[in-house]
Amino acid sequence: MFEGTKRKLKERILLFPESNSPTFDDPGKFNSEEVKLDWPKEIKRPYVGLTQDCNAVPYWTKYALFLEKNGFSYSIFEHHRSDWIEQASKFDTIIWSPKDGPFEMDDIKRKVYILEKKLGKICFPDYETLLLCDDKIFSTYLLRINNLPIADTFISNDYKESHRMINRFSYPLVSKGSFGAGSKEVTLVTKPSDAKRIVRKVFSIYGKRTHLKYMRQKNSIYFQRFLKGDSLDTRVNVIGNMIFGYYRKPRGNDFRASGSGIVIKEDLPIEAIKIALETYSKIGKAMLGVDMLKDENGKYWIIEISPFIYVRTPEQLKVNGVAGAYSLQDDGTLLFEEKSFWPQQLALKVFFEQNYLSSVEEWKAKFLEPGLSNSFLLKC
Ligand SMILES: Nc1ncnc2c1ncn2[C@@H]1O[C@H](COP(=O)(O)OP(=O)(O)O)[C@@H](O)[C@H]1O
Ligand SMILES: [Mg+2]
């Protein structure tokens, strides 16, 4: 029997514990640039605790390689164990690799809060960034108060209000759960009776079922304007002043591109890059992925942001078939560089720069704001 099928049978039918053993890979075998950090001699390097994740393509292996290449001492931090506070006491900085799934995020958030706010440790990602992970409601509020172009969204925890709105919305709409990836909690709402059904389920005593058997969508409605542009998701990833990205296309008649597996690596539109950079500058720290869709008039709207970028290979953006990345220059030029990086390693570099060599604000004022104050030119 295949390993995967055997595991599913054990975990789902025989109720064996779900595996959370770390996954391994060799990031060095891909064709990627080494990410180097200039560390002044007079500043002491922190001692790093590294958590291991069990994502199919792990993050922690890329962090480990970065730490080794840049002369940081580290050891593995086994945060699931009961003695996590005692273990953490020897570290200055702790690196986490969030995995999708609300139970894992809850655990990490609690621990990062205690470590960062109460015990004075520096965490990557920090608590504020973690609040954005896998939480569309929180992200939408933050995008809104920063006047960023999030697609028109109705979020309510009030049954009477949600019910009253059913006949006032224009259809179709897109309904989303606050957590979830790969479109698993995203559905099309074509008419008022669909919306009514969702509202009734969500506000029922059990809440609405989700793809996770242990979670329900309870007492929170998330309806978003359906964007009928070219049905192509534009993803722009920003890390420091580096910009990558790609497009995703839905499969068959589905309107949802996330999770379809169809990725198109081509040059990115300047308007989308601009929105992503503004979003990163206002609410991002080390890295931010910004997903956008076009409306009928060709205007880009944000549909989701992710402070953690899931990547399989260091090859992200391609311009005329050549893999590389743009870097934002002080004069507003986007310079295409034929270099591929592991985004996790670039993010770690930015994290150390923003936490040990300057503040986030100083970092942005130096590397981002001069470029952002210009209107862009695209240069290959
Ligand atoms: N407002 C929208 N209008 C049209 N399509 C949308 C809208 N929001 C999401 N989609 C489609 O559904 C997919 C999944 O939605 P998204 O919010 O990105 O959730 P997930 O977290 O599952 O990726 C997107 O990749 C996009 O193709
Ligand atoms: Mg998405």
Side-chain angles (χ1 to χ4, degrees):
M1 209 186 302
F2 292 117
E3 269 315 302
T5 318
K6 217 156 78 185
R7 209 185 64 218
K8 270 191 194 148
L9 177 78
K10 277 179 152 180
E11 290 175 354
R12 295 188 188 184
I13 299 176
L14 302 172
L15 300 184
F16 273 58
E18 186 183 8
S19 164
N20 68 354
S21 312
T23 39
F24 293 82
D25 68 351
D26 174 11
K29 80 170 190 228
F30 287 83
N31 183 19
S32 66
E33 298 286 320
E34 199 173 303
V35 177
K36 290 298 266 180
L37 172 61
D38 286 328
W39 193 276
K41 276 203 190 72
E42 61 281 11
I43 300 181
K44 191 175 167 281
R45 278 169 207 264
Y47 181 48
V48 179
L50 178 62
T51 66
Q52 294 173 300
D53 60 296
C54 55
N55 288 291
V57 184
Y59 290 82
W60 74 273
T61 49
K62 286 90 193 179
Y63 296 137
L65 189 65
F66 172 90
L67 294 171
E68 283 155 25
K69 297 274 182 196
N70 283 284
F72 288 89
S73 307
Y74 75 93
S75 61
I76 300 299
F77 173 39
E78 293 184 67
H79 71 98
H80 286 125
R81 289 179 20 177
S82 59
D83 63 348
W84 65 276
I85 294 184
E86 292 79 41
Q87 279 191 64
S89 61
K90 63 176 181 283
F91 301 121
D92 305 304
T93 289
I94 297 171
I95 298 174
W96 302 80
S97 307
K99 187 179 183 319
D100 286 338
F103 72 94
E104 180 82 11
M105 286 309 304
D106 279 355
D107 176 36
I108 297 179
K109 273 182 205 163
R110 253 179 237 124
K111 289 172 178 166
V112 169
Y113 185 88
I114 297 218
L115 291 167
E116 187 182 290
K117 309 279 183 207
K118 304 290 172 193
L119 301 176
K121 307 286 176 191
I122 296 186
C123 290
F124 169 81
D126 64 2
Y127 185 69
E128 201 182 340
T129 304
L130 274 179
L131 293 177
L132 284 172
C133 285
D134 209 15
D135 190 335
K136 291 190 177 65
I137 295 180
F138 182 81
S139 311
T140 304
Y141 291 149
L142 219 53
L143 289 163
R144 251 188 215 161
I145 62 168
N146 280 288
N147 298 321
L148 291 158
I150 171 80
D152 246 359
T153 306
F154 172 82
I155 304 175
S156 177
N157 301 89
D158 185 292
Y159 171 72
K160 284 190 187 141
E161 181 196 22
S162 304
H163 194 265
R164 216 175 28 245
M165 289 303 291
I166 292 170
N167 290 318
R168 301 194 188 161
F169 292 130
S170 20
Y171 293 85
L173 286 170
V174 176
S175 167
K176 302 187 185 184
S178 192
F179 68 90
S183 301
K184 291 198 188 88
E185 298 303 327
V186 177
T187 50
L188 198 60
V189 184
T190 53
K191 48 190 186 305
S193 60
D194 294 348
K196 194 169 172 185
R197 208 179 53 249
I198 293 172
V199 169
R200 282 188 56 185
K201 281 188 183 163
V202 165
F203 286 97
S204 71
I205 190 158
Y206 297 115
K208 180 177 169 291
R209 256 194 229 164
T210 68
H211 74 286
L212 296 173
K213 285 229 162 58
Y214 61 87
M215 285 291 292
R216 299 257 172 174
Q217 183 181 343
K218 175 87 177 108
N219 287 22
S220 68
I221 290 292
Y222 189 109
F223 285 155
Q224 195 167 72
R225 172 188 167 205
F226 177 73
L227 294 162
K228 193 177 166 33
D230 50 8
S231 302
L232 203 60
D233 282 27
T234 303
R235 156 61 74 93
V236 183
N237 294 324
V238 185
I239 308 176
N241 66 341
M242 304 295 282
I243 300 124
F244 316 78
Y246 46 81
Y247 301 88
R248 283 185 297 189
K249 232 175 107 161
R251 211 166 263 283
N253 289 330
D254 204 330
F255 74 101
R256 302 164 305 178
S258 166
S260 73
I262 310 177
V263 175
I264 303 165
K265 293 184 181 173
E266 274 173 24
D267 202 359
L268 295 166
I270 203 97
E271 311 90 277
I273 295 181
K274 189 157 196 223
I275 291 174
L277 279 168
E278 275 163 6
T279 308
Y280 176 76
S281 142
K282 286 189 175 161
I283 62 179
K285 284 189 180 158
M287 65 173 150
L288 194 71
V290 184
D291 282 321
M292 286 160 274
L293 275 175
K294 272 198 266 190
D295 66 13
E296 303 82 343
N297 305 317
K299 178 176 163 37
Y300 282 93
W301 295 93
I302 301 174
I303 54 160
E304 189 183 27
I305 53 172
S306 326
F308 260 83
I309 299 164
Y310 192 69
V311 284
R312 288 174 192 281
T313 92
E315 279 199 356
Q316 300 272 302
L317 171 74
K318 278 192 181 170
V319 174
N320 302 323
V322 179
Y326 283 110
S327 66
L328 176 67
Q329 309 291 301
D330 284 357
D331 65 356
T333 306
L334 291 171
L335 183 69
F336 183 74
E337 298 180 46
E338 210 183 307
K339 288 179 181 165
S340 297
F341 303 93
W342 280 113
Q344 294 96 333
Q345 299 186 343
L346 278 182
L348 213 48
K349 173 177 183 276
V350 173
F351 161 77
F352 281 116
E353 288 171 350
Q354 290 181 345
N355 284 275
Y356 285 90
L357 310 182
S358 66
S359 68
V360 176
E361 291 67 34
E362 284 164 350
W363 191 98
K364 284 184 178 171
K366 187 166 171 198
F367 293 106
L368 216 55
E369 281 158 21
L372 269 178
S373 60
N374 293 281
S375 42
F376 292 148
L377 287 171
L378 193 61
K379 183 172 145 192
C380 285

